[in-house]
Amino acid sequence: MQLSPRQEKIVEIVKRHGPITSHQIAEMLNLTRAALRPDLAILTMSGILEARPRVGYVYHGKPAQALVAEEIRKIKVGDVKGLPKVIRYDASVYDAIVTLFLEDVGTLMVVDSEGHLEGVVSRKDLLKAAIGDTSNLKTMPVSVVMTRMPNIICTTPEESVLTAAQKIIEHEVDALPVVRPVAGKEKKLEVIGRITKTTITRLFVELGTAGR
Ligand code: ADP
């Protein structure tokens, strides 16, 4: 929430002199109490100030954090998602390893010939395949080692990035495919992006350095 210059002044006064009555605030600002009423209403409704009966206004302290949380909850997956990095289900494990290096990612989304999500393959899935019998890496399809649908944790462009980050933590994965339903094909999902731990870290840095 963006405060007006006058509202910021009121907050400063209450921080310094609270508890303070509206009468005293009005005097300090050379305003009538009536003129002050809408600003005080906004500041108390948003939780920045608390109106204590027969005592006056006090500064609440907590809202700065609440405001940051409010801003973060407004950011949608669609605002920050990256390009999907995909591989076909019939590509070999060897090809998947090469793609991982070429694309410089840790997770690939596995899709069918129409681009619909079939599974996810992570670097550890590929490492596991590569420490076993390595003679068939070029013939073994990636679909053998991937985690497959319907066990894939996904997100959508409309979902809040906070919810996506909670899914990453809760399910202990590095990346989520961003998907949308395919018209006329129930249960099929089109991959339109990805959210990774790096996406969240980058956003965290952007938020922390905004306005500097
Ligand atoms: P790493 O290989 O670095 O451990 P992850 O922690 O992302 O990478 O993967 C752990 C396991 O979870 C792997 O077996 C992978 O196939 C699976 N996995 C990765 N992302 C997802 C996802 N979004 N939904 C379901 N399973 C996933």
Side-chain angles (χ1 to χ4, degrees):
M1 188 177 107
Q2 191 68 39
L3 297 186
S4 71
R6 188 200 276 174
Q7 287 163 358
E8 278 179 4
K9 258 190 220 159
I10 296 170
V11 171
E12 273 314 302
I13 289 173
V14 179
K15 252 192 206 172
R16 203 167 305 160
H17 305 284
I20 180 169
T21 65
S22 61
H23 188 75
Q24 290 166 313
I25 301 171
E27 257 182 11
M28 289 174 100
L29 290 173
N30 261 332
L31 293 168
T32 63
R33 278 171 71 191
L36 207 56
R37 203 167 292 132
D39 288 325
L40 285 173
I42 287 170
L43 291 170
T44 46
M45 275 190 301
S46 62
I48 297 172
L49 300 185
E50 186 191 337
R52 293 197 183 145
R54 287 183 299 279
V55 177
Y57 288 88
V58 289
Y59 177 65
H60 223 274
K62 174 185 85 184
Q65 255 183 337
L67 292 178
V68 172
E70 204 176 285
E71 286 307 310
I72 289 176
R73 278 196 290 270
K74 275 188 217 155
I75 305 169
K76 301 289 173 214
V77 163
D79 302 330
V80 295
K81 71 177 166 58
L83 291 173
K85 304 291 177 184
V86 301
I87 189 161
R88 278 208 15 184
Y89 72 103
D90 51 0
S92 69
V93 169
Y94 181 89
D95 284 339
I97 295 172
V98 172
T99 310
L100 213 64
F101 281 102
L102 289 179
E103 298 281 5
D104 195 16
V105 293
T107 313
L108 297 168
M109 313 304 161
V110 185
V111 294
D112 67 13
S113 53
E114 291 169 277
H116 304 149
L117 184 64
E118 290 256 310
V120 165
V121 68
S122 76
R123 65 188 115 203
K124 244 178 266 160
D125 296 330
L126 296 170
L127 272 176
K128 215 188 297 167
I131 57 172
D133 176 8
T134 53
S135 62
N136 55 2
L137 288 185
K138 289 192 175 172
T139 51
M140 188 198 292
V142 75
S143 56
V144 173
V145 298
M146 72 184 185
T147 300
R148 56 181 61 243
M149 288 285 277
N151 297 325
I152 303 301
I153 313 301
C154 299
T155 181
T156 62
E158 299 78 28
E159 189 162 70
S160 105
V161 78
L162 180 68
T163 306
Q166 283 167 332
K167 285 181 176 176
I168 286 177
I169 299 287
E170 187 187 332
H171 298 280
E172 298 182 2
V173 294
D174 289 349
L176 304 177
V178 183
V179 297
R180 69 173 163 225
V182 180
K185 289 189 180 165
E186 211 190 325
K187 290 192 188 153
K188 291 283 179 199
L189 297 169
E190 185 189 353
V191 187
I192 56 169
R194 69 195 179 112
I195 290 284
T196 68
K197 285 182 178 172
T198 307
T199 319
I200 308 295
T201 308
R202 195 179 301 125
L203 178 63
F204 179 81
V205 170
E206 272 172 25
L207 291 171
T209 53
R212 277 217 193 146

PDB file of all heavy atoms in Angstrom, residues 1-14:
ATOM      1  N   MET A   1       0.850  -1.203   0.000  1.00  0.00           N
ATOM      2  CA  MET A   1       0.000   0.000   0.000  1.00  0.00           C
ATOM      3  C   MET A   1       0.877   1.242   0.000  1.00  0.00           C
ATOM      4  O   MET A   1       1.800   1.356   0.791  1.00  0.00           O
ATOM      5  CB  MET A   1      -0.887  -0.032   1.252  1.00  0.00           C
ATOM      6  CG  MET A   1      -1.922   1.052   1.262  1.00  0.00           C
ATOM      7  SD  MET A   1      -2.961   0.886   2.726  1.00  0.00           S
ATOM      8  CE  MET A   1      -2.376   2.250   3.690  1.00  0.00           C
ATOM      9  N   GLN A   2       0.567   2.161  -0.920  1.00  0.00           N
ATOM     10  CA  GLN A   2       1.345   3.397  -1.028  1.00  0.00           C
ATOM     11  C   GLN A   2       0.681   4.479  -0.163  1.00  0.00           C
ATOM     12  O   GLN A   2      -0.484   4.806  -0.367  1.00  0.00           O
ATOM     13  CB  GLN A   2       1.371   3.832  -2.505  1.00  0.00           C
ATOM     14  CG  GLN A   2       2.339   4.948  -2.811  1.00  0.00           C
ATOM     15  CD  GLN A   2       3.792   4.498  -2.660  1.00  0.00           C
ATOM     16  OE1 GLN A   2       4.153   3.383  -3.021  1.00  0.00           O
ATOM     17  NE2 GLN A   2       4.617   5.376  -2.111  1.00  0.00           N
ATOM     18  N   LEU A   3       1.399   5.021   0.794  1.00  0.00           N
ATOM     19  CA  LEU A   3       0.827   6.068   1.645  1.00  0.00           C
ATOM     20  C   LEU A   3       1.014   7.430   0.978  1.00  0.00           C
ATOM     21  O   LEU A   3       2.004   7.666   0.285  1.00  0.00           O
ATOM     22  CB  LEU A   3       1.527   6.088   3.007  1.00  0.00           C
ATOM     23  CG  LEU A   3       1.395   4.843   3.880  1.00  0.00           C
ATOM     24  CD1 LEU A   3       2.025   5.082   5.239  1.00  0.00           C
ATOM     25  CD2 LEU A   3      -0.051   4.421   4.049  1.00  0.00           C
ATOM     26  N   SER A   4       0.046   8.346   1.211  1.00  0.00           N
ATOM     27  CA  SER A   4       0.195   9.715   0.701  1.00  0.00           C
ATOM     28  C   SER A   4       1.185  10.450   1.612  1.00  0.00           C
ATOM     29  O   SER A   4       1.412  10.026   2.756  1.00  0.00           O
ATOM     30  CB  SER A   4      -1.164  10.419   0.720  1.00  0.00           C
ATOM     31  OG  SER A   4      -1.525  10.693   2.056  1.00  0.00           O
ATOM     32  N   PRO A   5       1.769  11.562   1.132  1.00  0.00           N
ATOM     33  CA  PRO A   5       2.719  12.302   1.979  1.00  0.00           C
ATOM     34  C   PRO A   5       2.105  12.675   3.327  1.00  0.00           C
ATOM     35  O   PRO A   5       2.760  12.594   4.369  1.00  0.00           O
ATOM     36  CB  PRO A   5       3.033  13.544   1.153  1.00  0.00           C
ATOM     37  CG  PRO A   5       2.785  13.133  -0.260  1.00  0.00           C
ATOM     38  CD  PRO A   5       1.665  12.134  -0.209  1.00  0.00           C
ATOM     39  N   ARG A   6       0.809  13.045   3.306  1.00  0.00           N
ATOM     40  CA  ARG A   6       0.198  13.438   4.583  1.00  0.00           C
ATOM     41  C   ARG A   6       0.064  12.230   5.524  1.00  0.00           C
ATOM     42  O   ARG A   6       0.310  12.330   6.720  1.00  0.00           O
ATOM     43  CB  ARG A   6      -1.187  14.062   4.348  1.00  0.00           C
ATOM     44  CG  ARG A   6      -1.756  14.651   5.628  1.00  0.00           C
ATOM     45  CD  ARG A   6      -3.238  14.833   5.553  1.00  0.00           C
ATOM     46  NE  ARG A   6      -3.592  16.084   4.892  1.00  0.00           N
ATOM     47  CZ  ARG A   6      -4.849  16.421   4.602  1.00  0.00           C
ATOM     48  NH1 ARG A   6      -5.848  15.611   4.909  1.00  0.00           N
ATOM     49  NH2 ARG A   6      -5.109  17.547   3.982  1.00  0.00           N
ATOM     50  N   GLN A   7      -0.317  11.091   4.937  1.00  0.00           N
ATOM     51  CA  GLN A   7      -0.433   9.886   5.766  1.00  0.00           C
ATOM     52  C   GLN A   7       0.927   9.505   6.363  1.00  0.00           C
ATOM     53  O   GLN A   7       1.018   9.086   7.513  1.00  0.00           O
ATOM     54  CB  GLN A   7      -0.996   8.729   4.928  1.00  0.00           C
ATOM     55  CG  GLN A   7      -2.475   8.894   4.634  1.00  0.00           C
ATOM     56  CD  GLN A   7      -2.953   8.019   3.488  1.00  0.00           C
ATOM     57  OE1 GLN A   7      -2.178   7.305   2.863  1.00  0.00           O
ATOM     58  NE2 GLN A   7      -4.236   8.090   3.182  1.00  0.00           N
ATOM     59  N   GLU A   8       1.984   9.673   5.564  1.00  0.00           N
ATOM     60  CA  GLU A   8       3.321   9.366   6.088  1.00  0.00           C
ATOM     61  C   GLU A   8       3.680  10.288   7.245  1.00  0.00           C
ATOM     62  O   GLU A   8       4.289   9.866   8.233  1.00  0.00           O
ATOM     63  CB  GLU A   8       4.367   9.472   4.968  1.00  0.00           C
ATOM     64  CG  GLU A   8       4.384   8.202   4.153  1.00  0.00           C
ATOM     65  CD  GLU A   8       5.379   8.207   3.008  1.00  0.00           C
ATOM     66  OE1 GLU A   8       6.133   9.186   2.891  1.00  0.00           O
ATOM     67  OE2 GLU A   8       5.361   7.233   2.245  1.00  0.00           O
ATOM     68  N   LYS A   9       3.281  11.574   7.107  1.00  0.00           N
ATOM     69  CA  LYS A   9       3.551  12.536   8.189  1.00  0.00           C
ATOM     70  C   LYS A   9       2.828  12.113   9.467  1.00  0.00           C
ATOM     71  O   LYS A   9       3.372  12.174  10.560  1.00  0.00           O
ATOM     72  CB  LYS A   9       3.055  13.931   7.770  1.00  0.00           C
ATOM     73  CG  LYS A   9       4.182  14.848   7.317  1.00  0.00           C
ATOM     74  CD  LYS A   9       3.665  16.258   7.162  1.00  0.00           C
ATOM     75  CE  LYS A   9       4.276  16.895   5.916  1.00  0.00           C
ATOM     76  NZ  LYS A   9       3.508  18.016   5.414  1.00  0.00           N
ATOM     77  N   ILE A  10       1.549  11.698   9.292  1.00  0.00           N
ATOM     78  CA  ILE A  10       0.757  11.276  10.460  1.00  0.00           C
ATOM     79  C   ILE A  10       1.441  10.085  11.150  1.00  0.00           C
ATOM     80  O   ILE A  10       1.589  10.054  12.370  1.00  0.00           O
ATOM     81  CB  ILE A  10      -0.690  10.899  10.032  1.00  0.00           C
ATOM     82  CG1 ILE A  10      -1.402  12.133   9.484  1.00  0.00           C
ATOM     83  CG2 ILE A  10      -1.466  10.299  11.198  1.00  0.00           C
ATOM     84  CD1 ILE A  10      -2.733  11.850   8.813  1.00  0.00           C
ATOM     85  N   VAL A  11       1.888   9.118  10.326  1.00  0.00           N
ATOM     86  CA  VAL A  11       2.546   7.932  10.887  1.00  0.00           C
ATOM     87  C   VAL A  11       3.788   8.357  11.683  1.00  0.00           C
ATOM     88  O   VAL A  11       4.032   7.881  12.802  1.00  0.00           O
ATOM     89  CB  VAL A  11       2.914   6.922   9.778  1.00  0.00           C
ATOM     90  CG1 VAL A  11       3.785   5.802  10.330  1.00  0.00           C
ATOM     91  CG2 VAL A  11       1.652   6.341   9.149  1.00  0.00           C
ATOM     92  N   GLU A  12       4.560   9.290  11.105  1.00  0.00           N
ATOM     93  CA  GLU A  12       5.765   9.778  11.788  1.00  0.00           C
ATOM     94  C   GLU A  12       5.431  10.407  13.135  1.00  0.00           C
ATOM     95  O   GLU A  12       6.096  10.173  14.147  1.00  0.00           O
ATOM     96  CB  GLU A  12       6.491  10.805  10.900  1.00  0.00           C
ATOM     97  CG  GLU A  12       7.470  10.185   9.928  1.00  0.00           C
ATOM     98  CD  GLU A  12       8.366   9.139  10.581  1.00  0.00           C
ATOM     99  OE1 GLU A  12       9.079   9.488  11.554  1.00  0.00           O
ATOM    100  OE2 GLU A  12       8.330   7.964  10.151  1.00  0.00           O
ATOM    101  N   ILE A  13       4.377  11.238  13.127  1.00  0.00           N
ATOM    102  CA  ILE A  13       3.963  11.927  14.363  1.00  0.00           C
ATOM    103  C   ILE A  13       3.557  10.909  15.423  1.00  0.00           C
ATOM    104  O   ILE A  13       3.974  10.975  16.577  1.00  0.00           O
ATOM    105  CB  ILE A  13       2.793  12.918  14.068  1.00  0.00           C
ATOM    106  CG1 ILE A  13       3.319  14.105  13.269  1.00  0.00           C
ATOM    107  CG2 ILE A  13       2.129  13.377  15.364  1.00  0.00           C
ATOM    108  CD1 ILE A  13       2.242  15.061  12.767  1.00  0.00           C
ATOM    109  N   VAL A  14       2.751   9.910  14.999  1.00  0.00           N
ATOM    110  CA  VAL A  14       2.267   8.924  15.971  1.00  0.00           C
ATOM    111  C   VAL A  14       3.423   8.060  16.476  1.00  0.00           C
ATOM    112  O   VAL A  14       3.501   7.726  17.658  1.00  0.00           O
ATOM    113  CB  VAL A  14       1.134   8.060  15.371  1.00  0.00           C
ATOM    114  CG1 VAL A  14       0.659   7.014  16.373  1.00  0.00           C
ATOM    115  CG2 VAL A  14      -0.036   8.929  14.941  1.00  0.00           C
TER     116      VAL A  14
END
